[in-house]
Amino acid sequence: MQLPMNRRQWLKAGAVVAAGLAVQRDVSGVEWVISPSSERDQKFIRLHSNENPYGPSRRARRAMIAAFDEGCRYPSGHYEELKTLIAEKENVSPDHIILGAGSHEILHMAGVAYGLEGGEVLTAHPTYEGLEHYARMIGAYVHRVPLTEDFQIDLNAMDRRITQAVRLVFVCNPNNPTGRILPADRLREFCRAISRRTVVLVDEAYHDYVEAREYSSMIDLVREGYNVIVSRTFSKIHALAGLRVGYGLARPDIIARLNQFRTNHSVNILGLRAAMASYQDVPFQDFSRRKNAEARAYLYKVLGELGRRYIPSHTNFVFFHLGWDVTAFRQAMKEHGVLVGRPFPPYTNWCRLSLGTMEEMELFARAFRKVMGRKAAG
Ligand SMILES: Cc1ncc(COP(=O)(O)O)c(C=O)c1O
């Protein structure tokens, strides 16, 4: 049967344009797309979930369109392709890698695998709560160690809190919600020492945004055979949060343990193809990092003008001192069409703001000035 337009012609015609999507080109030549859904969502400017507003990349979009035909097949036969790509880049074998529906599923698997049968979990507070949430759900005890006065994860205090029952230590680096990084040498020393007693999971969801020299991934410890798991995601720099693809790296015996708690076929074929394309799309990653840095510099300027203290961030969000209750602030900003981050107790006078496009940041700044002005006027 002759179809009106075959897949190649469809792609050639530029499916993105055919679907009525507006394309913009960056000075570097990277094209990005404003989709109808993000325009629709501009009823609310989404600065609350640490998403990357510039994606999916053109290459990821093309890969997803090309994968439509594979939609009738189960995807797991293709998992090795993405694992092999990651394995080659990270210099490990594919059996050191597990895929998940976002890195959240990796945290879920770890929380359950190590929280069962009396296992306890140790984590900083506040930090990303995905893992501790699942550990609690299955009845595991979770030790929370407060941050230091300067909002750093307190590795010394965490070390002191470890009991014999602690089976998993969670370290988010860079940390969410603070955006701070741990110095690589100190974290490496901590992981080496602690992983002799228990497993350490280092959540590196924001790894690709970090440019600081004092930062390093802990994947080298996985390579060296330590009891360390590293989790990563395609939701941030790759801008695929809605596609749900993440991965974990660990020794093969640890991967096998996590695998027992994985949902079968949890990564779907469109997500898989998009992730593979995006993983190799270095210009898009550079572009996202650069746009993020521009938005961050702009936000620092706005916060400076309004006399707000902030924690210099290595991520796509900034934690700043609001000086009043963030729940009331969220509501006030929502009335101006801007969604900002949820409360992170005990820092309920602080706000976590995700970085959007420059247009979104300018709209945020306008609303923010109004809300702060009204608050000052009492
Ligand atoms: C530190 C951290 N880890 C993990 C996740 C989970 O992301 P995903 O499941 O989309 O990979 C997030 C999401 O915001 C995060 O901030």
Side-chain angles (χ1 to χ4, degrees):
M1 188 179 72
Q2 184 67 44
L3 292 173
M5 194 190 261
N6 69 27
R7 198 173 65 200
R8 185 167 296 159
Q9 286 165 331
W10 162 254
L11 287 173
K12 216 169 166 185
V16 167
V17 174
L21 306 179
V23 179
Q24 296 201 7
R25 190 185 288 272
D26 177 58
V27 281
S28 65
V30 172
E31 286 180 344
W32 57 283
V33 179
I34 305 172
S35 69
S37 75
S38 61
E39 274 172 1
R40 228 187 354 258
D41 277 355
Q42 280 178 12
K43 183 161 99 74
F44 285 116
I45 294 171
R46 297 170 55 89
L47 303 180
H48 65 314
S49 290
N50 303 346
E51 298 158 348
N52 173 355
Y54 292 102
S57 74
R58 289 296 297 276
R59 280 176 70 175
R61 284 167 196 259
R62 284 201 195 100
M64 283 190 272
I65 292 166
F68 280 178
D69 292 349
E70 296 180 277
C72 61
R73 306 291 176 198
Y74 285 109
S76 50
H78 298 286
Y79 286 3
E80 281 310 303
E81 296 169 42
L82 177 56
K83 285 192 200 175
T84 301
L85 271 184
I86 297 168
E88 277 168 7
K89 176 153 182 257
E90 301 298 350
N91 198 17
V92 292
S93 59
D95 59 356
H96 283 76
I97 296 167
I98 186 165
L99 304 181
S103 58
H104 209 99
E105 195 187 4
I106 310 296
L107 304 185
H108 175 169
M109 290 184 259
V112 175
Y114 294 96
L116 285 174
E117 294 161 8
E120 297 179 358
V121 169
L122 177 71
T123 177
H125 181 72
T127 192
Y128 190 68
E129 287 148 346
L131 188 149
E132 80 171 82
H133 176 72
Y134 284 109
R136 272 187 217 287
M137 260 171 38
I138 57 157
Y141 185 78
V142 177
H143 302 260
R144 285 174 154 185
V145 176
L147 303 183
T148 61
E149 272 180 12
D150 61 348
F151 301 90
Q152 185 56 288
I153 292 177
D154 194 341
L155 295 180
N156 293 334
M158 287 178 80
D159 190 347
R160 287 195 297 272
R161 271 291 279 278
I162 293 181
T163 65
Q164 283 219 319
V166 169
R167 307 250 162 83
L168 187 66
V169 175
F170 177 73
V171 180
C172 186
N173 188 43
N175 194 23
N176 178 3
T178 62
R180 281 204 68 171
I181 51 169
L182 285 156
D185 291 351
R186 177 67 189 105
L187 179 57
R188 191 166 284 114
E189 175 192 40
F190 174 86
C191 290
R192 282 204 176 113
I194 301 301
S195 67
R196 292 204 174 89
R197 295 148 70 188
T198 184
V199 175
V200 183
L201 191 156
V202 185
D203 179 334
E204 298 185 354
Y206 300 96
H207 163 83
D208 303 279
Y209 284 109
V210 187
E211 296 182 273
R213 279 167 178 258
E214 64 269 29
Y215 167 86
S216 162
S217 167
M218 291 297 123
I219 286 181
D220 53 329
L221 298 183
V222 171
R223 255 179 244 125
E224 289 168 28
Y226 283 88
N227 267 327
V228 170
I229 305 170
V230 169
S231 62
R232 296 267 183 89
T233 183
F234 283 91
S235 300
K236 305 301 174 184
I237 204 123
H238 294 286
L240 297 174
L243 273 297
R244 314 304 304 130
V245 191
Y247 56 100
L249 296 111
R251 244 180 19 228
D253 61 301
I254 298 179
I255 294 292
R257 183 164 180 173
L258 297 180
N259 219 359
Q260 292 176 291
F261 302 98
R262 191 170 63 86
T263 306
N264 205 12
H265 305 293
S266 63
V267 178
N268 71 64
I269 193 72
L270 295 193
L272 193 69
R273 294 295 182 218
M276 287 174 65
S278 198
Y279 198 70
Q280 300 171 90
D281 192 349
V282 175
F284 178 74
Q285 293 161 41
D286 291 343
F287 163 78
S288 291
R289 198 177 300 107
R290 197 172 58 248
K291 297 303 263 186
N292 185 66
E294 274 172 35
R296 196 167 49 201
Y298 173 80
L299 177 62
Y300 288 170
K301 192 163 89 35
V302 172
L303 293 172
E305 281 164 15
L306 290 173
R308 299 291 103 199
R309 187 157 70 96
Y310 58 84
I311 302 175
S313 168
H314 297 271
T315 64
N316 65 346
F317 56 85
V318 175
F319 203 44
F320 69 90
H321 186 239
L322 184 62
W324 48 292
D325 179 40
V326 71
T327 303
F329 177 67
R330 287 185 92 200
Q331 186 53 37
M333 291 299 287
K334 192 171 179 186
E335 282 159 21
H336 285 82
V338 183
L339 304 179
V340 305
R342 65 182 184 277
F344 289 94
Y347 306 115
T348 49
N349 283 357
W350 287 69
C351 176
R352 189 196 69 187
L353 191 82
S354 309
L355 298 165
T357 63
M358 197 52 92
E359 293 74 19
E360 289 171 330
M361 298 312 292
E362 282 166 3
L363 288 165
F364 159 79
R366 208 174 304 155
F368 185 46
R369 286 194 179 98
K370 276 193 199 147
V371 167
M372 294 302 275
R374 206 165 299 153
K375 179 75 184 163

